[in-house]
Amino acid sequence: HFDPVDAGYARQRTLDRDRFMTAEEALEWKARGYTVVKMKIGYGPEVDLEVVRAVREAIGFETGLAVDA
């Protein structure tokens, strides 16, 4: 059984599927000790690239980043 908390895995938790994770939210997950952040994409190529780039820059390369379209 995969336990995301034990694995250090944070995912975007929102009921609003039209809202993407912000860099600030990703930093909050990182500050809580998560080693991987998963975020929702699928808002269009330009928006996706901008949002993923902002989150990656915020959390750095030592924190994993997964996306789900």
Side-chain angles (χ1 to χ4, degrees), residues 21-34:
M21 178 180 282
T22 65
E24 291 81 16
E25 289 169 318
L27 280 173
E28 289 175 20
W29 287 114
K30 181 179 177 177
R32 292 179 188 171
Y34 290 96

Side-chain angles (χ1 to χ4, degrees), residues 8-62:
Y9 171 86
R11 70 176 177 84
Q12 182 176 358
R13 290 186 174 109
T14 178
L15 297 176
D16 183 357
R17 298 228 182 252
D18 292 330
R19 194 182 72 75
F20 47 81
M21 178 180 282
T22 65
E24 291 81 16
E25 289 169 318
L27 280 173
E28 289 175 20
W29 287 114
K30 181 179 177 177
R32 292 179 188 171
Y34 290 96
T35 58
V36 178
V37 175
K38 181 179 179 185
M39 61 185 289
K40 180 80 176 137
I41 62 170
Y43 307 100
E46 292 169 0
V47 173
D48 291 346
L49 183 59
E50 181 180 340
V51 173
V52 170
R53 184 175 286 145
V55 168
R56 172 50 74 201
E57 288 176 6
I59 64 174
F61 288 97
E62 68 280 354

